[in-house]
PDB file of all heavy atoms in Angstrom:
ATOM      1  N   PRO A1383     -42.325  -2.849  -7.238  1.00 94.00           N
ATOM      2  CA  PRO A1383     -43.270  -2.913  -8.354  1.00 94.00           C
ATOM      3  C   PRO A1383     -42.660  -3.482  -9.630  1.00 94.00           C
ATOM      4  O   PRO A1383     -43.388  -3.817 -10.560  1.00 94.00           O
ATOM      5  CB  PRO A1383     -43.690  -1.445  -8.554  1.00 94.00           C
ATOM      6  CG  PRO A1383     -43.345  -0.759  -7.277  1.00 94.00           C
ATOM      7  CD  PRO A1383     -42.115  -1.460  -6.780  1.00 94.00           C
ATOM      8  N   GLY A1445     -62.065  13.381  17.213  1.00 95.00           N
ATOM      9  CA  GLY A1445     -63.350  12.694  17.222  1.00 95.00           C
ATOM     10  C   GLY A1445     -64.300  13.178  16.148  1.00 95.00           C
ATOM     11  O   GLY A1445     -65.322  12.523  15.881  1.00 95.00           O
ATOM     12  N   PHE A1485     -49.969   2.243   9.433  1.00 95.00           N
ATOM     13  CA  PHE A1485     -50.631   0.961   9.652  1.00 95.00           C
ATOM     14  C   PHE A1485     -50.818   0.702  11.148  1.00 95.00           C
ATOM     15  O   PHE A1485     -51.884   0.253  11.596  1.00 95.00           O
ATOM     16  CB  PHE A1485     -49.817  -0.166   9.018  1.00 95.00           C
ATOM     17  CG  PHE A1485     -50.396  -1.538   9.221  1.00 95.00           C
ATOM     18  CD1 PHE A1485     -51.486  -1.974   8.474  1.00 95.00           C
ATOM     19  CD2 PHE A1485     -49.859  -2.397  10.176  1.00 95.00           C
ATOM     20  CE1 PHE A1485     -52.032  -3.243   8.677  1.00 95.00           C
ATOM     21  CE2 PHE A1485     -50.397  -3.665  10.382  1.00 95.00           C
ATOM     22  CZ  PHE A1485     -51.482  -4.080   9.620  1.00 95.00           C
ATOM     23  N   ALA A1503     -47.848  -0.638  -8.852  1.00 96.00           N
ATOM     24  CA  ALA A1503     -47.894   0.752  -8.384  1.00 96.00           C
ATOM     25  C   ALA A1503     -48.690   1.640  -9.335  1.00 96.00           C
ATOM     26  O   ALA A1503     -48.349   2.803  -9.571  1.00 96.00           O
ATOM     27  CB  ALA A1503     -46.494   1.311  -8.167  1.00 96.00           C
ATOM     28  N   ARG A1549     -31.926  -4.828  -6.319  1.00 80.00           N
ATOM     29  CA  ARG A1549     -31.737  -5.610  -7.541  1.00 80.00           C
ATOM     30  C   ARG A1549     -31.969  -4.782  -8.799  1.00 80.00           C
ATOM     31  O   ARG A1549     -31.183  -4.817  -9.730  1.00 80.00           O
ATOM     32  CB  ARG A1549     -32.685  -6.813  -7.550  1.00 80.00           C
ATOM     33  CG  ARG A1549     -32.534  -7.731  -6.366  1.00 80.00           C
ATOM     34  CD  ARG A1549     -31.161  -8.342  -6.279  1.00 80.00           C
ATOM     35  NE  ARG A1549     -30.999  -9.181  -5.105  1.00 80.00           N
ATOM     36  CZ  ARG A1549     -29.840  -9.660  -4.684  1.00 80.00           C
ATOM     37  NH1 ARG A1549     -28.744  -9.368  -5.335  1.00 80.00           N
ATOM     38  NH2 ARG A1549     -29.781 -10.424  -3.608  1.00 80.00           N
ATOM     39  N   GLU A1665     -31.174 -34.880   9.862  1.00 96.00           N
ATOM     40  CA  GLU A1665     -30.597 -36.171  10.253  1.00 96.00           C
ATOM     41  C   GLU A1665     -29.466 -35.920  11.257  1.00 96.00           C
ATOM     42  O   GLU A1665     -28.729 -34.938  11.144  1.00 96.00           O
ATOM     43  CB  GLU A1665     -30.046 -36.896   9.021  1.00 96.00           C
ATOM     44  CG  GLU A1665     -31.086 -37.197   7.958  1.00 96.00           C
ATOM     45  CD  GLU A1665     -32.194 -38.101   8.469  1.00 96.00           C
ATOM     46  OE1 GLU A1665     -31.889 -39.016   9.272  1.00 96.00           O
ATOM     47  OE2 GLU A1665     -33.362 -37.889   8.088  1.00 96.00           O
ATOM     48  N   ASN A1676     -20.425 -24.305  14.998  1.00 97.00           N
ATOM     49  CA  ASN A1676     -19.257 -23.745  14.325  1.00 97.00           C
ATOM     50  C   ASN A1676     -18.365 -23.045  15.348  1.00 97.00           C
ATOM     51  O   ASN A1676     -18.847 -22.555  16.370  1.00 97.00           O
ATOM     52  CB  ASN A1676     -19.682 -22.733  13.266  1.00 97.00           C
ATOM     53  CG  ASN A1676     -20.416 -23.357  12.091  1.00 97.00           C
ATOM     54  OD1 ASN A1676     -20.742 -22.670  11.145  1.00 97.00           O
ATOM     55  ND2 ASN A1676     -20.708 -24.657  12.131  1.00 97.00           N
ATOM     56  N   ARG A1752      -3.746  -6.718   5.695  1.00 92.00           N
ATOM     57  CA  ARG A1752      -3.108  -5.596   6.401  1.00 92.00           C
ATOM     58  C   ARG A1752      -4.093  -4.484   6.735  1.00 92.00           C
ATOM     59  O   ARG A1752      -3.812  -3.629   7.575  1.00 92.00           O
ATOM     60  CB  ARG A1752      -1.956  -5.015   5.576  1.00 92.00           C
ATOM     61  CG  ARG A1752      -0.733  -5.873   5.542  1.00 92.00           C
ATOM     62  CD  ARG A1752       0.464  -5.130   4.994  1.00 92.00           C
ATOM     63  NE  ARG A1752       1.102  -4.285   5.984  1.00 92.00           N
ATOM     64  CZ  ARG A1752       2.171  -3.537   5.742  1.00 92.00           C
ATOM     65  NH1 ARG A1752       2.701  -3.521   4.522  1.00 92.00           N
ATOM     66  NH2 ARG A1752       2.702  -2.791   6.691  1.00 92.00           N
ATOM     67  N   LYS A1776      10.321  -9.772  -2.251  1.00 96.00           N
ATOM     68  CA  LYS A1776      11.379  -9.694  -1.245  1.00 96.00           C
ATOM     69  C   LYS A1776      11.550 -11.042  -0.542  1.00 96.00           C
ATOM     70  O   LYS A1776      12.682 -11.510  -0.332  1.00 96.00           O
ATOM     71  CB  LYS A1776      11.022  -8.614  -0.219  1.00 96.00           C
ATOM     72  CG  LYS A1776      12.061  -8.410   0.870  1.00 96.00           C
ATOM     73  CD  LYS A1776      13.242  -7.605   0.390  1.00 96.00           C
ATOM     74  CE  LYS A1776      14.147  -7.193   1.527  1.00 96.00           C
ATOM     75  NZ  LYS A1776      15.298  -6.392   1.088  1.00 96.00           N
ATOM     76  N   ALA A1834       3.078  -7.066  11.907  1.00 97.00           N
ATOM     77  CA  ALA A1834       4.148  -7.681  12.694  1.00 97.00           C
ATOM     78  C   ALA A1834       4.976  -8.622  11.823  1.00 97.00           C
ATOM     79  O   ALA A1834       6.219  -8.636  11.871  1.00 97.00           O
ATOM     80  CB  ALA A1834       3.565  -8.424  13.890  1.00 97.00           C
ATOM     81  N   ALA A1904       1.997 -28.638   7.372  1.00 98.00           N
ATOM     82  CA  ALA A1904       3.114 -28.541   8.311  1.00 98.00           C
ATOM     83  C   ALA A1904       2.591 -28.113   9.675  1.00 98.00           C
ATOM     84  O   ALA A1904       1.457 -27.634   9.811  1.00 98.00           O
ATOM     85  CB  ALA A1904       4.138 -27.535   7.798  1.00 98.00           C
ATOM     86  N   PHE A1912      12.759 -19.547  23.873  1.00 95.00           N
ATOM     87  CA  PHE A1912      14.123 -19.007  23.826  1.00 95.00           C
ATOM     88  C   PHE A1912      14.079 -17.487  23.734  1.00 95.00           C
ATOM     89  O   PHE A1912      13.472 -16.912  22.832  1.00 95.00           O
ATOM     90  CB  PHE A1912      14.884 -19.573  22.634  1.00 95.00           C
ATOM     91  CG  PHE A1912      16.282 -19.021  22.492  1.00 95.00           C
ATOM     92  CD1 PHE A1912      17.323 -19.554  23.223  1.00 95.00           C
ATOM     93  CD2 PHE A1912      16.534 -17.951  21.652  1.00 95.00           C
ATOM     94  CE1 PHE A1912      18.610 -19.036  23.109  1.00 95.00           C
ATOM     95  CE2 PHE A1912      17.812 -17.433  21.528  1.00 95.00           C
ATOM     96  CZ  PHE A1912      18.864 -17.971  22.261  1.00 95.00           C
ATOM     97  N   VAL A1967      27.488  -3.686   6.071  1.00 92.00           N
ATOM     98  CA  VAL A1967      26.194  -3.017   5.879  1.00 92.00           C
ATOM     99  C   VAL A1967      26.343  -1.521   5.637  1.00 92.00           C
ATOM    100  O   VAL A1967      25.475  -0.902   5.021  1.00 92.00           O
ATOM    101  CB  VAL A1967      25.257  -3.270   7.079  1.00 92.00           C
ATOM    102  CG1 VAL A1967      24.937  -4.755   7.200  1.00 92.00           C
ATOM    103  CG2 VAL A1967      25.816  -2.736   8.377  1.00 92.00           C
TER     104      VAL A1967
END
Side-chain angles (χ1 to χ4, degrees):
F1485 178 77
R1549 303 299 177 191
E1665 300 299 323
N1676 293 184
R1752 286 193 81 180
K1776 181 78 170 181
F1912 178 83
V1967 297

